[in-house]
Structure formats: structure tokens, C-alpha cells
Amino acid sequence: MENAPLPEDEAQSLDALRLNQALAAQRAVDEKLRQTLAELEQQYRVAEHARSETRAIIDATSEAIILISPGGYILSVDKQFTEYFALRPEDVAGRRFDELHEFERIFADPAAFKALVTATARDEKSQFTEIITQFWPRARELELYSNPVQSAGGEHLGRLYVFRDVTHERAVDRMKSEFVSLVSHELRTPLTSIKGYVDLLLEGDAGALNGEQAEYLGIVKNNADRLVNLINDLLDVSRIESGNIQLQRTSLDIAQSIREVASSLKPQIEEKGQQLELNIPEALPAVSGDAGRVTQILTNLLSNAYKYTPAGGTITITASAQKSMVRVDVRDTGIGLSPQEQAQLFTRFFRARNQTTQEVGGTGLGLSITRSLVEMHGGEIIVSSAPGQGSTFSFTLPIVPGTLERKTLPLPSLVGRRILVVDDEPDIANLIRRYLKRAGYKVHIAHNAADALKLARTEHPDLITLDIMLPDTDGLTLLEWLKNDHTTAEIPVLLLSIVDEGEPGKFLGAVDYLRKPISESTLLEHVNVILAEDRAHLILVADDDADIRRLIAGNLRRAGYQVTEASNGSEAVALAQSEHPGLTLIDIRMPGMDGIAALRILRADPATRG
């Protein structure tokens, strides 16, 4: 049965009721929407205020900041960034970093800077610091620090790159280094004379000494040695800070280095009633290291063990190969160190506060320098210690294949060889002459560059020792003159100086370098090795590029070698078979017969195989 329709007036009332209900619901929705919009507006105002505050704080910093996404897009820059590099925010934000060509004119090495940022943009973990040079719109030295940025939920947002202007700081560092060098020069010159002549007196060169005289001179010697060590430490710290220490890496017989250092300090150790034990395996592999700096590391650690171990104690040096490294342990039965002292041990000027350290002289620089030198070699240094139970200092150096070979000749074959000593300080020149004459050498002296060049041309000495500081020109300029003069080019030159000029000196043709003050034994050791070498060996240089061939051959000739040249592989083989050079340098890619084919022929022929 169908429902009967409602009367018209009732139907209208129902429609009105429904309309009112719908309007009420709509009003409720509108009110809710207004409340939501008001809340969002309030949250926006708060967020905008926080963002403005954050932006104001960031813009108030003195660092230039840029945020780059993992995909390489520039997300944000601060005010300092635009001012540092004369850029507008709208020209930077949102662009891909690798498309920002403005950097080409800003940085000294824009390619390296772009490569650094591109390589690290996706890195979610590491931090790094680099020094870069800005050219435009003004010259600056900038420290670039970079750190990954993550959201609260752990999402990788990109990397922050922060530029800090360190121009003034680095200028001050350079001034400090120059000041240290200047002061060190002024101190080293008189100390070289004091130390050298005191050594001669103690050795009886001026006649026998009575007990009191020997005691007083011994006190002078000990304090001169302390001053020399202090100056050396200050110079090393300055060079490490400025990055001016360059390692001369060779394949180094670490076992032999340990034995030599132990032998040099053994008299002091035995005089104190201590025992020195070496546990070094015969087949210890060679390491990649700078011989002088490795000796410095070993000397610092062994000297520390000697100083802080009481009479009757034991010092043990052990060495072992561990995968790709050689580990050296210097163990003592000394006073030991607390955990708090160990935490500060490698900081500069730190010295443990106890009765023993107060009685022993020192600057607190030795271990800081030692750690820096070990780390420069790619190794690490650690300490294990406890109060009253002694200490063990351990360091590692990277292993390389091969062994250290050192060519020497019997000293009698060197007696009578002529040496020209060039030094502007008469006392030091006479001291070096005494050292050399006692070893049987004939010596000439020049106090300036002009006289040195004249004597080198007329006397043709077998070796020249050359001071860097001369009154009429610097020693490196004189070295260049000597190597460019065909009458003196083949004379080996040993540089002696208070400043570290080893690298440029060797580039100009010096065969070796020693830093003043120089002991008699060190000087004679280096002189003997230089004069024992046959520097007249013929070297064959094979390269089809004439400019490169002339460059290599010229450098070798300035270093005192005889050189013959070939422009292709066939010429190289023919010259090697006829002239038997001691060394052959062959370019791989050459017309006709290439370097590989020439090498195969030379290796197959018994006459040229070596």
C-alpha cells in the first residue's frame, strides 16, 4: 500500500526544517574554518617571526653561509655570502651550484672549489675544513668549513658550507713565523760557534784540560745544547703550523734508524745506570719515511724515557710489522702518567706537575711535534701509562717494499779531496774547516758569493758547502750561478743554513742539506757519502717532446750528471747499447718504437739489463 502524500503545508514545514538544519551545519563548518584559519595565521606569524629571527641571527654572523641540496641546488644563502662575493640572493637561490659561473672570477682555483663542493654535497656524515683563496671582489684567505644538515626526522637536507675570513689571522701567523725565523737566525749563529768550539775544547783540540775546566765546559755545552733544542722546537712548531715542513720520503730501514738513535743516546743512559734493550726482528720491512724526521721522532721518545726513568730503570724498544704498518714501542719503567696527564700530553707546552718533571728541563713541545711528524707520515701515536708503573709510547709508520741501500766508500779513498767552505761568519767557517781538516780534507774558505764563484772556477773543488745567508747575495742565487756555469756545474753543493731551504735548494741542484748548528760527526757523515758517490754516471733521457727532454736533461746536468738524449725508442736502444748509461729515463709514448718496446729490448739484452 503506497504512502499518502503529505499535505502541502506540512511538506513546506519539513523543507524549511531541513534548510535550517543545513544552514546551521554550514555555519558550524564556517566557524570551524574561521577558527582553523585564525590558528594557521597565528602559527604562520609565529613561524615567520622565528624565521625572521633566525635569518637576522644568521645575517648578523661574520661568516658567509650557503646551503646546498644533495642534488646540487642552492637552497639558501645569508647576507654575508652575497656581500663576500658581490652576488644578489635572487641570482643565487634556486640555481644549480655547478651552473653558477660567477665563481670563475671569485676564486683563485674555481675548478678545485667546484670539484670539492660537488664531491661532498651528497655526503651525509663527514665534516671538513679547507683554506681557499678569494681574488674578487677583494683578495681574501678563507677558511671553508662544511657540515651535513638533517631534519628533525633524520632526513638529509644537504650540506652547509661556511666561509670565514682568516686573512688577518694567517698574516699574523706569517709574521710570527718570520719573527721566529729571524730570532732563530740571530741565536743560531753565535750558538753554532759556541757549541762547536766547546766541543773542540772538550775533545782536547787545544790541549789537555784539568777536571775543573772540563766540568765548566761541560756545563756550557749542556746549556748550549738546551738552547739549540729549544730553537729547533720553536722552528718546527712554526713550520708545522704554517704547513712548511716537507717530508723527503725514502725507503727507510727503520731497524737501522732505531739502532743508530739508541747508539747515540746509550752513553747517557748507561751513565744514569739505566738498561737499554732492543727487541727488533731481523726481517723488519722498510718504511716510507723522512730519515731525519724519523730520527727526530725516535730521539724525542727515547730522550723522554731516559729523562723520566729513575737510575736503575729499564728502557725497551721493540718493533714489529702489523699489516701495512711497522709499529715501534718505547717502553720505560719511569714515573708514569695519570689519565688526566695523558689527556693533555700532546698539547703544546704541557708538562706533568710532579717533582721529577720539575727537576728535568724541557719546553713541553717535544711530544706535540712528535705527534705532528708521525701523523704527517700517515701513522699514529698512542701512550699507555699508569702512575708509578712506567709508560709505553707507540707509533706506526707505513710499510713500503724494498730495503734502504746506502753506497759508501772507505774513508781513506776520500782523504785529500778538496772542499770549498762558503760562509759569511768567519768563526763558523773556521769551525767547519777544522772539522774537515781533521778528517783529512783540503779546505778553501770564501766569505761572500763573488769570492766563492771565483774560487770554484779556479780551484775546481770536489765539494762546496754553502751557507744560505751571504752579504752580497743569497746562497740560492749563488747556487744557481754555479749550476749554470759549465766550469762549475758538476761540483756537488751541500747547503748549510739556519733556515729550512732544502726543497728550493735541491730543485736548483744542491745534493744535500744540513741545518745549523751542525755536529762534526753529522757533517762528516754527509760529506763522506756525497764524495763517495760517483756523480759522473751517464743518464739517458728518451722523449719525443724536445721541450720536455731539454727540461729534464737540463735539471740533471745542473745536478752534476752527464746526460745523453734520444728522441725515440730506437735511438734510446742504440745509445743504451753503445754508451751503457747508469740510468735510463724513457717516455712510454714515442713514435716508431715506443718506450715499452724499448724497455723489453733493453731487459732482454744482458749488456743493458741492469
Side-chain angles (χ1 to χ4, degrees):
M1 178 177 179
E2 296 181 1
N3 294 327
L6 293 171
E8 182 177 350
D9 57 342
E10 291 184 13
Q12 290 176 347
S13 296
L14 182 60
D15 289 341
L17 177 61
R18 289 173 177 168
L19 178 61
N20 288 335
Q21 290 175 339
L23 290 172
Q26 182 62 46
R27 282 194 296 272
V29 170
D30 290 345
E31 181 62 26
K32 183 65 175 178
L33 181 60
R34 279 195 295 273
Q35 290 177 1
T36 302
L37 289 173
E39 290 174 359
L40 288 174
E41 185 177 356
Q42 178 62 24
Q43 292 175 5
Y44 174 78
R45 284 197 296 268
V46 171
E48 183 63 20
H49 179 70
R51 190 192 70 80
S52 298
E53 284 187 342
T54 302
R55 169 60 63 181
I57 291 170
I58 292 174
D59 286 343
T61 64
S62 59
E63 287 82 15
I65 301 173
I66 180 172
L67 177 63
I68 299 179
S69 75
Y73 285 92
I74 299 173
L75 301 178
S76 177
V77 297
D78 71 341
K79 180 181 178 183
Q80 287 293 343
F81 184 90
T82 59
E83 292 182 357
Y84 266 42
F85 306 126
L87 298 170
R88 296 185 304 174
E90 58 268 28
D91 294 338
V92 178
R95 293 178 61 182
R96 283 191 60 84
F97 172 79
D98 55 9
E99 295 175 355
L100 203 65
H101 301 300
E102 287 85 344
F103 288 135
E104 299 292 333
R105 64 180 177 179
I106 291 174
F107 295 114
D109 192 348
F113 171 67
K114 283 191 171 184
L116 176 64
V117 173
T118 302
T120 58
R122 296 182 182 275
D123 186 343
E124 300 181 18
K125 295 182 179 179
S126 65
Q127 303 175 352
F128 68 85
T129 302
E130 294 282 340
I131 298 295
I132 59 175
T133 302
Q134 177 186 354
F135 273 174
W136 188 89
R138 56 170 288 190
R140 288 188 181 98
E141 290 182 89
L142 301 173
E143 181 183 70
L144 171 60
Y145 169 76
S146 180
N147 192 50
V149 178
Q150 293 182 337
S151 67
E155 179 188 359
H156 179 52
L157 301 179
R159 285 190 74 89
L160 203 63
Y161 297 86
V162 181
F163 302 82
R164 188 167 71 91
D165 188 347
V166 293
T167 308
H168 177 69
E169 295 172 22
R170 290 174 67 82
V172 170
D173 279 343
R174 283 191 290 270
M175 290 173 62
K176 179 186 69 178
S177 296
E178 290 169 3
F179 174 75
V180 170
S181 275
L182 176 63
V183 172
S184 297
H185 175 265
E186 295 304 317
L187 290 174
R188 277 176 177 270
T189 299
L191 274 175
T192 298
S193 294
I194 294 168
K195 179 174 165 50
Y197 285 106
V198 166
D199 286 341
L200 289 175
L201 290 172
L202 287 171
E203 292 169 9
D205 195 62
L209 301 174
N210 61 40
E212 190 175 17
Q213 291 170 335
E215 179 187 355
Y216 292 166
L217 286 172
I219 293 171
V220 174
K221 172 180 168 57
N222 290 337
N223 284 280
D225 288 341
R226 286 181 61 187
L227 282 173
V228 169
N229 291 334
L230 172 60
I231 293 167
N232 289 341
D233 286 348
L234 290 172
L235 278 174
D236 281 340
V237 167
S238 176
R239 293 192 187 103
I240 288 169
E241 285 181 345
S242 60
N244 286 336
I245 286 186
Q246 301 294 327
L247 298 181
Q248 305 300 312
R249 290 180 181 269
T250 61
S251 178
L252 184 64
D253 184 350
I254 183 66
Q256 181 62 24
S257 296
I258 293 171
R259 293 188 187 98
E260 289 176 356
V261 170
S263 177
S264 67
L265 293 177
K266 192 173 182 179
Q268 299 171 241
I269 293 171
E270 290 180 344
E271 185 179 356
K272 196 174 178 180
Q274 298 169 340
Q275 298 293 320
L276 177 60
E277 299 177 359
L278 302 183
N279 296 326
I280 304 170
E282 292 296 328
L284 196 65
V287 299
S288 172
D290 182 311
R293 295 302 180 179
V294 171
T295 296
Q296 185 177 355
I297 293 167
L298 290 166
T299 301
N300 281 349
L301 295 182
L302 186 53
S303 295
N304 264 15
Y306 157 76
K307 289 177 183 177
Y308 301 117
T309 299
T314 301
I315 301 170
T316 306
I317 305 178
T318 61
S320 60
Q322 299 182 351
K323 296 182 179 180
S324 61
M325 310 292 279
V326 165
R327 172 172 169 146
V328 179
D329 301 304
V330 181
R331 183 180 300 109
D332 64 57
T333 57
I335 59 175
L337 297 159
S338 68
Q340 294 78 14
E341 290 169 338
Q342 292 177 52
Q344 303 179 66
L345 192 58
F346 294 104
T347 57
R348 291 174 194 158
F349 302 107
F350 172 76
R351 303 193 71 213
R353 295 186 178 182
N354 56 58
Q355 184 63 33
T356 304
T357 56
Q358 291 174 5
E359 293 172 355
V360 176
T363 62
L365 291 172
L367 287 176
S368 171
I369 293 168
T370 298
R371 182 178 65 174
S372 297
L373 293 177
V374 169
E375 291 175 349
M376 287 172 65
H377 279 84
E380 66 173 343
I381 183 169
I382 57 174
V383 60
S384 173
S385 184
Q389 298 180 26
S391 304
T392 299
F393 286 86
S394 306
F395 69 93
T396 58
L397 294 173
I399 292 173
V400 294
T403 57
L404 179 68
E405 295 180 359
R406 196 170 189 179
K407 180 167 62 176
T408 58
L409 291 177
L411 288 184
S413 65
L414 304 177
V415 172
R417 303 288 286 274
R418 295 165 300 159
I419 299 178
L420 171 59
V421 175
V422 184
D423 199 302
D424 65 323
E425 290 284 340
D427 291 340
I428 296 176
N430 288 326
L431 179 65
I432 295 172
R433 176 170 60 183
R434 278 179 173 270
Y435 289 161
L436 295 171
K437 290 187 72 173
R438 279 156 50 116
Y441 293 111
K442 296 180 179 178
V443 182
H444 297 280
I445 288 180
H447 296 302
N448 56 60
D451 290 346
L453 190 60
K454 185 185 302 182
L455 282 169
R457 287 169 174 167
T458 57
E459 298 297 331
H460 301 291
D462 298 294
L463 172 69
I464 298 174
T465 70
L466 177 58
D467 182 29
I468 299 294
M469 304 291 186
L470 297 175
D472 48 349
T473 188
D474 65 273
L476 294 180
T477 301
L478 174 57
L479 176 60
E480 193 170 4
W481 292 346
L482 290 167
K483 292 305 171 183
N484 287 326
D485 187 330
H486 70 92
T487 63
T488 59
E490 294 187 7
I491 303 173
V493 177
L494 169 62
L495 293 178
L496 308 177
S497 182
I498 53 86
V499 292
D500 197 348
E501 296 290 354
E503 275 300 299
K506 288 185 177 179
F507 177 77
L508 292 172
V511 298
D512 204 352
Y513 167 81
L514 287 175
R515 195 169 69 179
K516 294 178 179 176
I518 304 156
S519 69
E520 181 176 8
S521 59
T522 300
L523 175 66
L524 294 178
E525 178 186 1
H526 284 254
V527 168
N528 294 340
V529 169
I530 294 169
L531 292 178
E533 292 179 349
D534 181 7
R535 302 198 60 81
H537 270 320
L538 176 67
I539 298 179
L540 167 61
V541 178
D543 198 306
D544 61 308
D545 188 314
D547 291 335
I548 293 176
R549 194 172 66 247
R550 280 195 295 268
L551 175 65
I552 296 172
N555 285 335
L556 290 169
R557 288 189 178 106
R558 282 195 294 275
Y561 293 100
Q562 297 177 12
V563 183
T564 186
E565 301 176 40
S567 59
N568 56 56
S570 299
E571 287 183 19
V573 170
L575 284 169
Q577 291 173 338
S578 63
E579 300 191 27
H580 301 289
L583 173 69
T584 302
L585 306 177
I586 305 180
D587 182 28
I588 297 297
R589 299 183 181 278
M590 290 187 291
M593 182 188 296
D594 64 20
I596 298 297
L599 181 60
R600 289 197 182 101
I601 294 173
L602 295 174
R603 288 300 191 201
D605 185 345
T608 58
R609 183 177 298 147

